[in-house]
């Protein structure tokens, strides 16, 4: 006759070792997800830039890679969502060590706007939160000089993304909404060193309001 073996008593749930993932606090878990998303996006941009294509084609490739990340709640930290009452605020998210590209977040409080400007390199802009207004310009010959002509004005809603490159990159942007707006920008330049992507600021055309 076989003697029954006693089964081990169940381990109380409170004594079951937690997995490393379960042991993470909510803030730590969020930080890991955010780091993973930024790292993934930077890798995607690096691959696109590394193809060595013309600036306008590079901008379109990078725009395609930015689009899926727009609106993601784990893209930015609370600090990277902070604005400035004086002017729109730039947060540097990544600067490639070789200077080939940079990623920034721009935070716009209601009514904040840029001057009319162009850029030192190709650039990509996508709306992460809220919406932005944009007015685009052409620089046309006018006798011995040239003048700006507004050619389009658009509203860029959440999720919209565009890529462009000089010389077709003169515009101004502002937050015409009642709430905060945030946009993600990628530039083919070292913004950490330059401080800004702006190459030149233009005077307002005659008769145009701020």
């Amino acid at each position: 006759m076989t003697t029954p073996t006693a089964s081990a008593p169940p381990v109380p749930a409170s004594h079951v070792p937690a997995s490393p993932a379960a042991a993470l606090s909510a803030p730590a878990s969020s930080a890991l997800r955010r780091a993973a998303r930024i790292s993934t996006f930077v890798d995607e941009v690096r691959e696109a830039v590394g193809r060595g294509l013309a600036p306008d084609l590079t901008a379109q490739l990078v725009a395609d890679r930015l689009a899926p990340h727009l609106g993601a709640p784990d893209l930015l930290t609370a600090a990277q969502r902070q604005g400035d009452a004086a002017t729109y605020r730039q947060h540097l998210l990544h600067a490639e060590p070789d200077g080939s590209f940079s990623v920034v977040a721009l935070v716009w409080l209601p009514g904040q706007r840029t001057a009319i400007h162009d850029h030192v390199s190709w650039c990509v802009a996508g709306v992460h939160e809220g919406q932005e207004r944009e007015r685009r310009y052409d620089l046309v010959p006018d006798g011995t000089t040239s003048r700006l002509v507004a050619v389009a004005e658009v509203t860029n809603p959440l999720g919209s993304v565009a890529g462009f490159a000089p010389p077709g990159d003169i515009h101004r942007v502002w937050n015409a909404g009642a709430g905060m707006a945030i946009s993600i920008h990628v530039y083919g330049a070292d913004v950490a060193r330059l401080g800004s992507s702006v190459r030149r600021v233009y005077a307002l055309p005659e008769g145009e309001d701020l």
Side-chain angles (χ1 to χ4, degrees), residues 19-148:
S19 68
L24 288 173
S25 66
S29 179
S30 295
L32 286 176
R33 288 196 304 271
R34 185 172 296 108
R37 181 176 291 279
I38 287 293
S39 178
T40 296
F41 176 54
V42 166
D43 286 345
E44 292 167 348
V45 175
R46 187 179 293 124
E47 184 276 331
V49 172
R51 297 188 187 190
L53 300 177
D56 57 338
L57 297 178
T58 297
Q60 290 305 318
L61 283 178
V62 173
D64 292 342
R65 284 145 180 78
L66 173 59
H69 299 282
L70 294 172
D74 56 354
L75 183 61
L76 301 176
T77 67
Q80 291 163 346
R81 294 171 45 83
Q82 291 297 310
D84 185 322
T87 185
Y88 69 94
R89 184 174 182 183
Q90 174 177 284
H91 297 277
L92 181 65
L93 307 182
H94 176 80
E96 191 70 351
D98 66 3
S100 58
F101 69 90
S102 303
V103 183
V104 306
L106 297 185
V107 181
W108 316 74
L109 300 182
Q112 292 181 338
R113 63 185 63 215
T114 69
I116 303 173
H117 65 280
D118 59 14
H119 307 83
V120 297
S121 69
W122 60 263
C123 49
V124 170
V127 180
H128 179 62
E129 182 175 322
Q131 64 178 25
E132 297 175 354
R133 293 285 290 175
E134 179 187 12
R135 186 174 296 154
R136 301 168 184 166
Y137 300 84
D138 281 345
L139 193 60
V140 300
D142 186 11
T144 59
T145 183
S146 57
R147 60 187 176 88
L148 284 177

Side-chain angles (χ1 to χ4, degrees), residues 199-210:
R199 182 184 74 91
R200 177 181 174 186
V201 172
Y202 297 83
L204 280 173
E206 186 175 351
E208 183 170 316
D209 295 331
L210 292 175

Side-chain angles (χ1 to χ4, degrees), residues 90 92 94-95 102 189-196:
Q90 174 177 284
L92 181 65
H94 176 80
S102 303
D190 187 352
V191 172
R193 179 177 64 84
L194 298 175
S196 168

Side-chain angles (χ1 to χ4, degrees), residues 11-25:
V11 178
S14 60
H15 293 165
V16 175
S19 68
L24 288 173
S25 66

